[in-house]
Amino acid sequence: MYLLIVFLPLLGSSVAGFFGRFLGSEGTAIMTTTCVSFSSILSLIAFYEVAPGASACYLRIAPWISSEMFDASWGFLFDSPTVVMLIVVTSISSLVHLYSISYMSEDPHRSRFMCYLSIFTFFMPMLVTGDNSLQLFLGWEGVGLASYLLIQFWFTRLQADKAATKAMPVNRVGDFGLAPGISGRFTLFQTVDFSTIFARASAPRNSWISCNMRFNAITLICILLFIGAVGKSAQIGSHIWSPDAMEGPTPVSASIHAATMVTAGVFMIARCSPLFEYPPTALIVITSAGATTSFLAATTGILQNDIKRVIAYSTCSQLGYMIFACGISNYSVSVFHLMNHAFFKALLFLSAGSVIHAMSDEQDMRKMGGLASSFPFTYAMMLMGSLSLIGFPFLTGFYSKDVILELAYTKYTISGNFAFWLGSVSVLFTSYYSFRSLFLTFLVPTNSFGRDILRCHDAPIPMAIPSILLALGSLFVGYLAKYLNQSSYPNFWANSPFVLPKNEILAESEFAAPTITKLIPIPFSTSGASVAYNVNPVADQFQRAFQTSTFCNRLYTFFNKRWFFDQVFNDFIARSFLRFGYEVSFEALDKGAIEILGPYGISYTFRRLAERISQLQSGFVYHYAFAMLLGSTLFVTFSRMWDSLSSWVDNRLSFIFIVSSFFL
């Protein structure tokens, strides 16, 4: 049963890929959706068996790589964090598959799309169930590859090609951190097996990894692993790929940003918590980066006009909450928020997809408006998702988002206070852009074309069913998960994730945090919604007032241009690499040294040599006789004098001189 959870999506993808033209688009859609749906049902059964009693299941399948001390096997670990992630991944993916049947019904390449979507789903369970670093890395690279294929699915669109080409190298930057981190763990612990590494993580050791510089080994390894998480989970610096990934089909956006790719970094940190607990420097770096990302993405989302980009920046902001929750040593709360976030974020994306699908693929909110009467169901779904996102009391987001802020406050450190205040201010901006998107899309006077208004329709049944199920999750999953976690099963997480006793602050945040601190998110959320309600009906006048002030105009440009991250990357990084690639790699190496020393240089040398030798062929016999006499004389002379000259002449130098004469 446990192996079927992982390999059923692979089966569906293989059938769709190899036999899609025989089954047809309908057959492949049914096959892939059925496989992923059965996988989600089996994930629920696995959750029932593993999580309540904290009874982990370990399966060792076969040896993979065995070389002296190095041993990596195909093994699968099913513990509480794993089964929680499996429920999130497989349930959200099955609903996205069902949604895609109707959303992609007019696409002539739907079989290929369902194949890519299923392989994307397969690599994520492979990542979360791996019991060693190499198997995790296999799933890690697999989701990166599948995301590239899905973002570039409409490859005839230039923007889709650009987005996929941008996402791949940005994720490779993160992999340049993760791969050395895995190598460093093997160097330090002589194994890639998680259980062995975690068992030895607490052993005191004066070990250093040095290149004329001294670094604490555990600190350096954790920072390298975090760099990998930064690339995959769209944290500050590597977040630029996430909004551009909206160029893919909407089901792709929902799958990437709700359940699969961006959650991989958060899960990896939670999985490696026994390592991250010991170096305090690494935890401070994680907390600061996560808090900064939540604030950066929230401030950027307030002035975006693409409805999917607004939700994408919302994802980056919420990932910042998850990351800094890991930085304050509350990995279980981070995974809890990851699970809650998956349901309401998938709901928001699928609701936005229903609007885009009905409005002739229009994504600019300024060209919508007044759609509440035409899309009452979609409006209700998007309202529930937005309320859950801002942490409205007793909805799913409320139970995890507010807990993260309380934990940051009761950390009583500079990094904790930094995360608390940036996270609290981010609540204000989150509320603003959530309600701004609702007002511009559904409530303000319409700006749509008449033909779109006449042809628009609410979500059909195959698209409505996933939205209803996700709406139920957005309403009740948070409450149910908190109940399971605290009341019925106090050993739900067991010792995975691992937290040092000195870093355990969950009880203190519950009982010792001041009431005023717990209430801070409520006025921020209310203020954001109020500002959105009052500003957006008069948005044009408000924007003109902003443009009359130099400071406000620059501030508006700064946020609208996404903190100029794209411009900085293009001007200072991408352009430098392009210049290096042309001047050094292309001109100096490819067209320079390699061609001179390679096939072109050899052919040119022999051609020149043949030309020079051919000039000696004069056709006169006395010339040939003179050359033979001269050669014989030199040969006899040197052979007789060699004993006296050998101490003065270097054979290697003579050889170099003779060879170099060919190039003259």
Side-chain angles (χ1 to χ4, degrees):
M1 179 190 77
Y2 290 95
L3 293 180
L4 286 177
I5 297 174
V6 179
F7 290 104
L8 274 176
L10 178 62
L11 174 64
S13 176
S14 302
V15 171
F18 291 110
F19 306 104
R21 64 174 59 196
F22 305 108
L23 296 176
S25 59
E26 292 291 337
T28 54
I30 294 173
M31 180 65 188
T32 53
T33 305
T34 302
C35 288
V36 178
S37 299
F38 274 114
S39 180
S40 65
I41 295 172
L42 295 176
S43 298
L44 290 171
I45 300 174
F47 177 84
Y48 175 76
E49 290 185 355
V50 171
S55 54
C57 176
Y58 173 72
L59 301 175
R60 183 184 176 95
I61 305 302
W64 183 13
I65 302 173
S66 181
S67 176
E68 295 183 355
M69 295 286 293
F70 183 77
D71 180 47
S73 301
W74 289 105
F76 298 89
L77 174 63
F78 295 85
D79 57 359
S80 295
T82 300
V83 293
V84 169
M85 286 296 298
L86 286 175
I87 286 180
V88 171
V89 171
T90 56
S91 60
I92 299 297
S93 295
S94 61
L95 295 176
V96 169
H97 276 72
L98 180 60
Y99 181 91
S100 302
I101 294 177
S102 177
Y103 189 89
M104 303 293 290
S105 59
E106 302 298 325
D107 196 289
H109 305 290
R110 186 168 64 165
S111 298
R112 178 165 58 89
F113 177 80
M114 301 304 288
C115 171
Y116 290 168
L117 200 59
S118 288
I119 199 69
F120 192 32
T121 306
F122 159 72
F123 278 119
M124 195 62 192
M126 179 64 69
L127 186 155
V128 301
T129 58
D131 75 323
N132 59 74
S133 301
L134 290 186
Q135 199 167 326
L136 181 143
F137 192 69
L138 173 66
W140 189 277
E141 292 301 309
V143 294
L145 170 64
S147 67
Y148 175 82
L149 296 174
L150 287 168
I151 295 170
Q152 204 188 23
F153 176 74
W154 289 324
F155 54 85
T156 55
R157 296 177 57 200
L158 179 61
Q159 292 302 320
D161 288 342
K162 287 182 177 180
T165 307
K166 185 178 183 179
M168 183 60 76
V170 172
N171 277 276
R172 295 289 76 73
V173 172
D175 295 343
F176 276 119
L178 181 63
I182 294 174
S183 301
R185 284 194 295 191
F186 177 75
T187 302
L188 192 61
F189 300 106
Q190 297 299 307
T191 183
V192 294
D193 184 68
F194 283 141
S195 58
T196 307
I197 293 173
F198 298 158
R200 298 177 60 191
S202 60
R205 56 181 69 243
N206 296 319
S207 54
W208 305 85
I209 298 176
S210 60
C211 292
N212 295 326
M213 293 179 291
R214 298 185 66 180
F215 294 101
N216 183 276
I218 295 291
T219 302
L220 180 60
I221 288 171
C222 289
I223 290 177
L224 288 172
L225 294 176
F226 175 64
I227 291 173
V230 166
K232 196 67 73 178
S233 292
Q235 295 301 288
I236 183 169
S238 297
H239 69 284
I240 55 175
W241 70 267
S242 178
D244 289 343
M246 299 300 100
E247 296 299 332
T250 301
V252 175
S253 304
S255 184
I256 289 177
H257 288 78
T260 51
M261 185 169 173
V262 296
T263 62
V266 179
F267 175 80
M268 188 267 292
I269 295 177
R271 168 65 75 204
C272 299
S273 57
L275 284 179
F276 282 94
E277 278 298 280
Y278 291 99
T281 304
L283 292 178
I284 292 173
V285 170
I286 294 172
T287 304
S288 303
T292 307
T293 303
S294 66
F295 180 76
L296 178 149
T299 54
T300 305
I302 60 177
L303 294 177
Q304 299 301 307
N305 298 310
D306 187 317
I307 186 171
K308 286 172 64 177
R309 283 180 183 261
V310 172
I311 305 173
Y313 277 110
S314 169
T315 301
C316 293
S317 182
Q318 298 304 307
L319 288 167
Y321 282 93
M322 301 174 205
I323 292 293
F324 82 68
C326 292
I328 58 178
S329 298
N330 280 273
Y331 311 95
S332 60
V333 177
S334 178
V335 175
F336 180 33
H337 187 55
L338 185 155
M339 179 181 67
N340 294 346
H341 169 264
F343 286 95
F344 59 74
K345 189 53 56 72
L347 176 61
L348 287 172
F349 269 114
L350 297 190
S351 300
S354 299
V355 176
I356 295 168
H357 185 69
M359 296 295 291
S360 303
D361 296 327
E362 180 59 64
Q363 296 182 197
D364 194 334
M365 295 184 294
R366 295 171 297 181
K367 298 179 182 179
M368 298 179 187
L371 299 180
S373 58
S374 302
F375 298 86
F377 172 79
T378 303
Y379 173 57
M381 296 296 103
M382 203 159 185
L383 177 62
M384 281 190 280
S386 299
L387 289 175
S388 186
L389 170 63
I390 67 172
F392 191 81
F394 309 113
L395 297 186
T396 291
F398 168 78
Y399 289 100
S400 55
K401 190 174 180 179
D402 286 17
V403 171
I404 292 175
L405 295 176
E406 295 168 14
L407 289 166
Y409 180 83
T410 52
K411 188 68 175 177
Y412 301 125
T413 59
I414 295 176
S415 60
N417 285 326
F418 176 77
F420 170 75
W421 286 110
L422 279 188
S424 298
V425 174
S426 300
V427 171
L428 169 68
F429 294 117
T430 300
S431 178
Y432 174 78
Y433 64 64
S434 298
F435 282 95
R436 174 177 176 265
S437 62
L438 284 173
F439 292 144
L440 290 181
T441 306
F442 295 103
L443 299 179
V444 301
T446 183
N447 288 319
S448 306
F449 291 107
R451 57 177 174 82
D452 292 335
I453 295 295
L454 292 175
R455 293 189 304 178
C456 70
H457 55 84
D458 215 334
I461 296 299
M463 295 168 64
I465 292 175
S467 299
I468 293 172
L469 296 176
L470 290 171
L472 293 175
S474 301
L475 293 176
F476 302 114
V477 162
Y479 172 77
L480 294 175
K482 183 179 180 181
Y483 175 78
L484 289 174
N485 191 11
Q486 293 184 355
S487 300
S488 299
Y489 306 104
N491 295 323
F492 181 87
W493 295 105
N495 208 28
S496 178
F498 172 76
V499 180
L500 286 174
K502 66 177 182 179
N503 293 331
E504 183 61 65
I505 56 173
L506 190 60
E508 186 170 357
S509 70
E510 182 71 23
F511 300 107
T515 304
I516 186 65
T517 303
K518 296 184 177 184
L519 296 177
I520 282 179
I522 295 178
F524 276 116
S525 298
T526 308
S527 301
S530 177
V531 171
Y533 178 78
N534 290 296
V535 167
N536 284 292
V538 291
D540 294 335
Q541 296 89 327
F542 186 74
Q543 184 172 348
R544 280 195 294 270
F546 246 65
Q547 291 173 344
T548 56
S549 171
T550 304
F551 172 76
C552 293
N553 190 20
R554 290 178 178 176
L555 185 65
Y556 180 91
T557 304
F558 180 71
F559 288 147
N560 184 256
K561 296 297 183 181
R562 304 181 288 278
W563 286 39
F564 293 106
F565 265 95
D566 287 324
Q567 183 173 348
V568 169
F569 273 96
N570 289 333
D571 292 346
F572 296 101
I573 298 179
R575 189 169 297 174
S576 300
F577 275 103
L578 288 174
R579 188 181 300 113
F580 174 85
Y582 179 77
E583 295 178 356
V584 178
S585 178
F586 180 72
E587 284 191 329
L589 295 178
D590 291 349
K591 293 296 183 182
I594 294 177
E595 289 212 0
I596 291 175
L597 300 176
Y600 176 78
I602 295 174
S603 63
Y604 176 78
T605 300
F606 279 101
R607 188 168 61 249
R608 288 287 303 274
L609 183 62
E611 290 175 357
R612 293 193 177 188
I613 293 175
S614 65
Q615 293 174 359
L616 300 176
Q617 307 298 323
S618 62
F620 296 105
V621 175
Y622 59 86
H623 285 172
Y624 300 147
F626 176 74
M628 294 170 63
L629 178 62
L630 180 63
S632 301
T633 303
L634 292 175
F635 176 76
V636 171
T637 302
F638 275 100
S639 63
R640 294 297 181 181
M641 298 176 61
W642 181 251
D643 293 336
S644 59
L645 292 176
S646 59
S647 60
W648 298 92
V649 179
D650 189 351
N651 298 336
R652 294 169 297 181
L653 186 62
S654 303
F655 176 77
I656 293 173
F657 176 76
I658 295 171
V659 172
S660 61
S661 65
F662 294 153
F663 294 89
L664 298 178

